[in-house]
Amino acid sequence: MAQESPKNSAAEIPVTSNGEVDDSHEHGYHRDLKRSLPSGLGLSETQITSHGFDSTKEGVIEAGASQGGQRTHTKGGPVILADEIKNPAMEKLELVRKWSLNTYKCTRQIISEKLGRGSRTVDLELEAQIDILRDNKKKYENILKLAQTLATQLFQMVHTQKQLGDAFADLSLKSLELHEEFGYNADTQKLLAKNGETLLGAINFFIASVNTLVNKTIEDTLMTVKQYENARIEYDAYRTDLEELNLGPRDANTLPKIEQSQHLFQIHKEKYDKMRSDVSVKLKFLEENKVKVLRNQLVLFHSAVAAYFAGNQKQLELTLKQFHVKLKTPGVDAPSWLEEQ
């Protein structure tokens, strides 16, 4: 009796009755493989893809999201773990940390300067121009306040003159024996009221222009000055930190801190230089604009007041036409000269 030759199990390929390959052994292989996986990895989190023996594509095994990374599935390739996405809360926390550190450094610099212990960077020419601007702003505000008081008082006088003129005109009609006398006074008060309204229009126009110059143009420049001063404090704060680190020892621990401090110092130095340049440009344009505006408004104010008190009605009206002033109801501000331009 001949002994049967042993058969290799890998060479056995079962065939069904219709000639197709029986894959029941392959399903059994998958089932045994799933049973052998660690218990911490659920079947629902595992996908096994097999290919034929002649396939050149790799098998893909997808697992659930692992700790510290995000699962990325690439078709026909191995499993790739992407970097963990940054948490928005952590980013906000980092911003708060940087802001707190910057605030601490600036506060320390301010206190140090007030106590006379710290040094500060000073641009003598620029600082002098800023001081002059602030002093001029106070003086212009005082002129503006006085002009507004004058306009209020003139409005009240014009209103009284109108009422007095109406009273004279009424008595002129009812008192025949004093008809002419009351009539003359009525005409005089009405003419004064009319000229007063014209002067009031010029004064309101002057007030509106000076108000625009003081509370818009100059204020905008002072806001830039404020930003420049903040940039100067930050620059000096980081400059002081760098100087202190450079005075200390240089070793493996301090060199990275010195490099980081040097980097931050350079950033704030560039910011400071830019803000200083912006302030210089704005101060230059402000000076040109201020001279142009005030020259026109002062000429208008002088001509209108002189013509009014001289009783020259034609000259008063001509002055307002020359400066394109449109008369409005007394007490209502005229449009700003800057806004019209």
Side-chain angles (χ1 to χ4, degrees), residues 2 64-65 88 250 253 300:
R250 291 176 174 267
N253 294 328
L300 167 66

Side-chain angles (χ1 to χ4, degrees), residues 26-255:
E26 183 178 356
H27 292 310
Y29 169 74
H30 289 173
R31 183 173 60 253
D32 295 337
L33 178 59
K34 292 180 180 180
R35 290 175 180 175
S36 64
L37 290 175
S39 59
L41 188 62
L43 294 179
S44 60
E45 299 174 346
T46 307
Q47 178 183 349
I48 303 175
T49 305
S50 63
H51 303 277
F53 292 102
D54 58 346
S55 175
T56 59
K57 297 182 179 180
E58 299 181 9
V60 177
I61 300 179
E62 285 191 355
S66 60
Q67 185 175 3
Q70 180 182 2
R71 181 183 63 191
T72 303
H73 174 222
T74 57
K75 186 176 181 180
V79 176
I80 299 176
L81 296 179
D83 293 334
E84 184 178 1
I85 300 177
K86 293 183 178 180
N87 190 347
M90 297 299 295
E91 292 181 354
K92 292 181 179 179
L93 185 61
E94 180 65 18
L95 292 175
V96 171
R97 188 190 69 81
K98 291 181 178 180
W99 174 84
S100 301
L101 182 61
N102 186 73
T103 303
Y104 164 74
K105 291 179 180 295
C106 294
T107 304
R108 184 183 64 177
Q109 178 65 25
I110 294 173
I111 295 175
S112 178
E113 291 177 3
K114 289 184 177 180
L115 294 177
R117 298 176 182 174
S119 60
R120 64 187 297 266
T121 304
V122 179
D123 188 327
L124 296 178
E125 182 180 357
L126 191 60
E127 293 290 339
Q129 294 177 0
I130 293 174
D131 290 340
I132 292 174
L133 174 63
R134 285 173 172 159
D135 184 60
N136 286 339
K137 183 174 184 289
K138 293 179 180 179
K139 294 178 179 178
Y140 295 153
E141 287 174 340
N142 185 49
I143 290 177
L144 184 61
K145 182 179 179 181
L146 293 174
Q148 290 171 340
T149 303
L150 178 62
T152 302
Q153 294 172 347
L154 181 61
F155 169 75
Q156 294 174 349
M157 186 180 73
V158 169
H159 181 66
T160 303
Q161 287 173 337
K162 279 186 176 182
Q163 291 180 330
L164 188 58
D166 292 339
F168 283 146
D170 182 61
L171 288 173
S172 175
L173 296 176
K174 297 180 179 179
S175 301
L176 298 178
E177 63 281 5
L178 297 174
H179 171 73
E180 293 184 0
E181 289 77 4
F182 278 125
Y184 294 152
N185 281 277
D187 294 339
T188 301
Q189 292 301 320
K190 289 180 179 180
L191 179 60
L192 290 174
K194 182 180 179 181
N195 291 343
E197 289 179 352
T198 307
L199 176 60
L200 186 61
I203 294 176
N204 284 333
F205 188 69
F206 172 81
I207 290 173
S209 298
V210 175
N211 180 68
T212 300
L213 175 65
V214 173
N215 294 319
K216 291 185 179 180
T217 310
I218 295 180
E219 188 63 31
D220 177 70
T221 304
L222 288 177
M223 288 180 63
T224 306
V225 169
K226 183 65 176 178
Q227 295 173 357
Y228 157 74
E229 292 175 343
N230 291 336
R232 197 277 306 166
I233 293 174
E234 291 180 348
Y235 165 71
D236 281 337
Y238 285 90
R239 175 182 57 81
T240 302
D241 276 355
L242 181 60
E243 291 175 353
E244 291 177 354
L245 289 174
N246 286 329
L247 293 175
R250 291 176 174 267
D251 51 30
N253 294 328
T254 58
L255 283 178

